[in-house]
Amino acid sequence: MSNILIEQGAIVTVDDAGHVHTPGYLFLEADRIAAVGAGAPPLELRERVDTIIDASHMAVMPGMVNAHTHLFQTFLRGLADDKPLLEWLKVAIWPVAQALTEHDAYIAAMLGLVENIRGGATSVIDHQYVHTEAGNDDGVFRAAQETGVRFLLARGWADTNYHPAFMETPDRIISEMARLRAAWHGAAGGRLRLEFGPLIPWGCTADTMRHTCDLARQWGVGTHIHVAEVRREIEMSLESTGRRHIEWLADLGVLGPDVQLVHSVWLDDGEIDLIAASGAVVVHCPVSNMYLASGVARVPEMRRRGIPVALATDGPGSNNSQDMLETLKAACLLQKVANLDAMALLPEDAVWMACRGGAAAFGQPALIGSLEAGKKADVVLVDLNTPFAMPVHKPVSALVYNAGYGSVDTVIVDGKLLMRGKKVLCVDEEALLAEARQVCGRLFERAGVVVEQ
Ligand SMILES: [Zn+2]
């Protein structure tokens, strides 16, 4: 590890006061942020650096947290465009996922993580529920270890009502979690972690929910679950349990600050009260919600109620990209049009959600999410010296409304350069693309999927 000085950039700190230093500097000492400030860096810092990065015409921001994806779907993007959720699962996701091997899971995760890096995410939560081979989760962890991203694997499970190929017994769920916890939780200097990932209320029995949630709290890990994504799911829940999703989770004693509620689109007022009172984190996936025509989450209202809201792309199967910069823009635009209010969600709000909200979802708010001394050296530099980004009147607005894929210039995690000057350093990207193309072709053949032209 080395010391890195980043200077001359617009430092978007995302601290409590929302300081932006234009220009400013950031000093990274090994895996931590040692100093941040306005203007030129003090001379004594220059004497201690190994690498100086000139960030002129760039925004320097905390690494974003992509708080919900399904990396295995990297091979599934574009396979079933323009379908609603339940049909999309049946015609695209389930048939291919059933044929997934450990090697497929590893290569799909490698490619998906490189895409996340290129989109400005330094931390990723992968909701991984395809256990067709015993080592799938290990393959995904291996990809995270090799690429260098900060990573939380929410091991997905369903024990009722779901596609038979993806259901497990409660014993199997617990024994695999115990095995993975011993093998991976806290690995790579704490960069890799594990949590429970109950898939959806309609795929999980009350007993196993209660049991895994107790165990999660004993182990000090979180719980990550899809809730209230489409209206039909609420009708199903009312028919089977007489409860809406959040009511059901509250009854079981699941809600708490260690729980991430992904989507949270179809909530009534009482459910928003329950979430606000519990401290649970909502993970908002605007592009996926639009892509699958799921609905519009009441994000401004949740934020007013003090609910921490994080941002995510969701899986590439329903997006089809992993670009967090695109997600920032989509989040703002969706709320503007849904509320017919141009100020419904501002660029500062979206950046806060991707960084601070994401850090809360990741369970490490004191460690990541802002550029402040003492926090982890997870940093992204975004190039604003491009035909589509300049002129820059306000760096935060430019990040959200002007930048996009191809704008991320440099990515640092734990003080280590994963990408610099738009070149990925952590893997041989060209070789990975070639291998992914082959692996993906063989997977489709095995799955018997013929892609419509
Ligand atoms: Zn999802």
Side-chain angles (χ1 to χ4, degrees):
M1 279 198 237
S2 59
N3 297 342
I4 300 174
L5 177 65
I6 300 166
E7 59 180 356
Q8 296 299 327
I11 312 287
V12 179
T13 64
V14 199
D15 62 9
D16 285 344
H19 283 119
V20 178
H21 305 302
T22 314
Y25 66 90
L26 188 68
F27 180 61
L28 312 178
E29 197 161 31
D31 67 332
R32 299 280 174 164
I33 296 170
V36 53
L43 274 179
E44 63 97 13
L45 289 183
R46 290 189 155 273
E47 287 158 13
R48 288 159 53 199
V49 302
D50 304 299
T51 307
I52 294 180
I53 297 177
D54 179 358
S56 301
H57 308 296
M58 291 195 202
V60 180
M61 68 183 298
M64 289 182 276
V65 179
N66 186 357
H68 177 75
T69 185
H70 308 283
L71 291 170
F72 80 91
Q73 291 179 7
T74 305
F75 290 164
L76 276 76
R77 68 174 127 219
L79 192 59
D81 294 335
D82 312 321
K83 301 212 169 11
L85 174 77
L86 300 178
E87 193 187 341
W88 166 86
L89 281 171
K90 280 184 194 136
V91 302
I93 305 302
W94 289 342
V96 178
Q98 275 180 78
L100 198 84
T101 65
E102 176 179 344
H103 189 63
D104 299 336
Y106 163 70
I107 295 294
M110 287 293 286
L111 194 61
L113 288 173
V114 168
E115 195 187 353
N116 268 281
I117 291 167
R118 284 201 170 277
T122 54
S123 297
V124 175
I125 304 180
D126 187 39
H127 200 180
Q128 197 327 81
Y129 59 90
V130 179
H131 310 298
T132 40
E133 286 198 349
N136 286 3
D137 297 326
D138 305 88
V140 175
F141 265 126
R142 216 152 27 88
Q145 186 173 40
E146 289 172 22
T147 50
V149 299
R150 199 171 296 288
F151 188 72
L152 177 54
L153 188 130
R155 187 185 183 278
W157 64 266
D159 68 339
T160 185
N161 211 20
Y162 204 64
H163 190 294
F166 308 116
M167 280 201 294
E168 296 176 295
T169 63
D171 286 349
R172 167 92 188 158
I173 295 160
I174 308 269
S175 66
E176 270 302 285
M177 281 296 290
R179 182 185 72 76
L180 291 166
R181 181 172 175 242
W184 293 103
H185 189 60
R191 190 162 53 73
L192 311 182
R193 286 158 58 239
L194 177 73
E195 66 177 349
F196 282 92
L199 203 49
I200 18 139
W202 50 271
C204 301
T205 60
D207 279 349
T208 313
M209 268 309 294
R210 220 181 273 119
H211 185 45
T212 58
C213 198
D214 286 348
L215 202 54
R217 285 180 179 141
Q218 262 178 47
W219 289 356
V221 304
T223 295
H224 184 95
I225 183 170
H226 294 112
V227 290
E229 182 174 1
V230 298
R231 184 157 46 184
R232 175 75 194 114
E233 291 179 294
I234 309 307
E235 293 161 8
M236 284 157 58
S237 182
L238 287 169
E239 283 158 21
S240 61
T241 67
R243 294 274 186 282
R244 301 173 66 89
H245 284 183
I246 303 301
E247 295 168 345
W248 183 72
L249 291 171
D251 283 356
L252 295 176
V254 170
L255 293 183
D258 50 353
V259 173
Q260 304 118 55
L261 303 164
V262 181
H263 297 307
S264 296
V265 173
W266 293 92
L267 305 181
D268 69 10
D269 294 348
E271 289 178 292
I272 291 184
D273 291 341
L274 287 169
I275 297 173
S278 73
V281 181
V282 164
V283 179
H284 177 47
C285 307
V287 177
S288 173
N289 293 162
M290 287 191 270
Y291 183 97
L292 294 170
S294 302
V296 185
R298 293 156 65 181
V299 169
E301 209 178 323
M302 293 187 214
R303 285 173 47 81
R304 277 197 297 275
R305 298 290 307 275
I307 297 171
V309 183
L311 276 182
T313 57
D314 204 355
S318 64
N319 187 303
N320 292 333
S321 92
Q322 297 283 284
D323 184 359
M324 282 299 287
L325 288 173
E326 180 187 70
T327 304
L328 295 177
K329 183 170 184 173
C332 292
L333 298 187
L334 178 57
Q335 295 303 331
K336 284 169 188 274
V337 72
N339 293 283
L340 297 180
D341 173 4
M343 296 187 69
L345 197 74
L346 298 174
E348 288 79 3
D349 300 329
V351 168
W352 191 98
M353 289 160 70
C355 298
R356 300 290 293 274
F362 209 76
Q364 298 189 314
L367 217 56
I368 57 174
S370 58
L371 301 179
E372 292 177 276
K375 283 203 170 178
K376 282 283 190 180
D378 292 7
V379 186
V380 167
L381 275 65
V382 180
D383 184 8
L384 300 175
N385 187 30
T386 61
F388 41 87
M390 76 83 65
V392 177
H393 307 294
K394 224 176 121 192
V396 179
S397 291
L399 273 175
V400 174
Y401 293 133
N402 307 10
Y405 254 161
S407 299
V408 174
D409 181 90
T410 295
V411 176
I412 301 169
V413 176
D414 258 349
K416 196 170 162 230
L417 282 157
L418 306 190
M419 179 161 108
R420 185 167 183 195
K422 299 183 182 170
K423 182 172 169 39
V424 172
L425 305 174
C426 53
V427 295
D428 179 340
E429 200 175 20
E430 219 163 290
L432 175 63
L433 285 170
E435 186 171 9
R437 202 165 284 117
Q438 281 189 5
V439 168
C440 183
R442 285 199 297 267
L443 168 65
F444 277 37
E445 252 175 61
R446 277 198 314 281
V449 170
V450 179
V451 182
E452 284 172 36
Q453 297 293 315

mmCIF file of all heavy atoms in Angstrom, residues 68 70 127 226 262-263 314-315, ligand 1:
data_model
loop_
_atom_site.group_PDB
_atom_site.id
_atom_site.type_symbol
_atom_site.label_atom_id
_atom_site.label_comp_id
_atom_site.label_asym_id
_atom_site.label_seq_id
_atom_site.Cartn_x
_atom_site.Cartn_y
_atom_site.Cartn_z
ATOM 1 N N HIS A 68 -27.737 -3.062 -4.248
ATOM 2 C CA HIS A 68 -28.502 -4.274 -4.588
ATOM 3 C C HIS A 68 -28.289 -4.641 -6.047
ATOM 4 O O HIS A 68 -28.654 -3.892 -6.954
ATOM 5 C CB HIS A 68 -29.996 -4.051 -4.342
ATOM 6 C CG HIS A 68 -30.858 -5.218 -4.727
ATOM 7 N ND1 HIS A 68 -30.944 -6.362 -3.975
ATOM 8 C CD2 HIS A 68 -31.658 -5.426 -5.805
ATOM 9 C CE1 HIS A 68 -31.767 -7.213 -4.543
ATOM 10 N NE2 HIS A 68 -32.219 -6.669 -5.670
ATOM 11 N N HIS A 70 -27.737 -8.473 -8.717
ATOM 12 C CA HIS A 70 -27.637 -9.934 -8.834
ATOM 13 C C HIS A 70 -26.609 -10.156 -9.938
ATOM 14 O O HIS A 70 -26.942 -10.097 -11.125
ATOM 15 C CB HIS A 70 -28.977 -10.550 -9.246
ATOM 16 C CG HIS A 70 -30.139 -10.127 -8.394
ATOM 17 N ND1 HIS A 70 -30.368 -10.643 -7.147
ATOM 18 C CD2 HIS A 70 -31.117 -9.221 -8.617
ATOM 19 C CE1 HIS A 70 -31.466 -10.084 -6.625
ATOM 20 N NE2 HIS A 70 -31.926 -9.221 -7.500
ATOM 21 N N HIS A 127 -27.146 -9.831 -4.111
ATOM 22 C CA HIS A 127 -28.190 -10.720 -3.588
ATOM 23 C C HIS A 127 -28.117 -11.990 -4.439
ATOM 24 O O HIS A 127 -28.656 -12.039 -5.540
ATOM 25 C CB HIS A 127 -29.543 -10.013 -3.718
ATOM 26 C CG HIS A 127 -30.609 -10.560 -2.843
ATOM 27 N ND1 HIS A 127 -31.884 -10.042 -2.835
ATOM 28 C CD2 HIS A 127 -30.620 -11.569 -1.944
ATOM 29 C CE1 HIS A 127 -32.626 -10.717 -1.964
ATOM 30 N NE2 HIS A 127 -31.886 -11.648 -1.418
ATOM 31 N N HIS A 226 -36.031 -8.435 -0.829
ATOM 32 C CA HIS A 226 -36.923 -7.698 -1.747
ATOM 33 C C HIS A 226 -38.283 -7.551 -1.073
ATOM 34 O O HIS A 226 -38.821 -8.543 -0.580
ATOM 35 C CB HIS A 226 -37.203 -8.511 -3.025
ATOM 36 C CG HIS A 226 -36.054 -8.761 -3.944
ATOM 37 N ND1 HIS A 226 -35.521 -10.007 -4.150
ATOM 38 C CD2 HIS A 226 -35.376 -7.925 -4.766
ATOM 39 C CE1 HIS A 226 -34.552 -9.937 -5.063
ATOM 40 N NE2 HIS A 226 -34.438 -8.690 -5.441
ATOM 41 N N VAL A 262 -35.373 -3.872 -0.076
ATOM 42 C CA VAL A 262 -35.113 -3.514 -1.473
ATOM 43 C C VAL A 262 -36.432 -3.274 -2.215
ATOM 44 O O VAL A 262 -37.355 -4.094 -2.102
ATOM 45 C CB VAL A 262 -34.318 -4.631 -2.173
ATOM 46 C CG1 VAL A 262 -34.018 -4.253 -3.614
ATOM 47 C CG2 VAL A 262 -33.047 -4.932 -1.402
ATOM 48 N N HIS A 263 -36.497 -2.195 -2.949
ATOM 49 C CA HIS A 263 -37.626 -1.721 -3.751
ATOM 50 C C HIS A 263 -38.605 -0.906 -2.911
ATOM 51 O O HIS A 263 -38.726 0.287 -3.111
ATOM 52 C CB HIS A 263 -38.351 -2.853 -4.500
ATOM 53 C CG HIS A 263 -37.483 -3.534 -5.502
ATOM 54 N ND1 HIS A 263 -36.809 -2.851 -6.478
ATOM 55 C CD2 HIS A 263 -37.141 -4.843 -5.657
ATOM 56 C CE1 HIS A 263 -36.101 -3.697 -7.207
ATOM 57 N NE2 HIS A 263 -36.276 -4.912 -6.724
ATOM 58 N N ASP A 314 -29.996 -2.769 -9.212
ATOM 59 C CA ASP A 314 -30.652 -4.073 -9.324
ATOM 60 C C ASP A 314 -29.852 -4.905 -10.338
ATOM 61 O O ASP A 314 -28.866 -4.433 -10.903
ATOM 62 C CB ASP A 314 -32.128 -3.949 -9.716
ATOM 63 C CG ASP A 314 -32.952 -5.185 -9.264
ATOM 64 O OD1 ASP A 314 -32.346 -6.141 -8.741
ATOM 65 O OD2 ASP A 314 -34.186 -5.176 -9.421
ATOM 66 N N GLY A 315 -30.254 -6.129 -10.575
ATOM 67 C CA GLY A 315 -29.482 -7.013 -11.458
ATOM 68 C C GLY A 315 -29.477 -6.504 -12.889
ATOM 69 O O GLY A 315 -30.401 -5.822 -13.319
HETATM 70 ZN ZN ZN B 1 -33.365 -7.710 -7.108
#
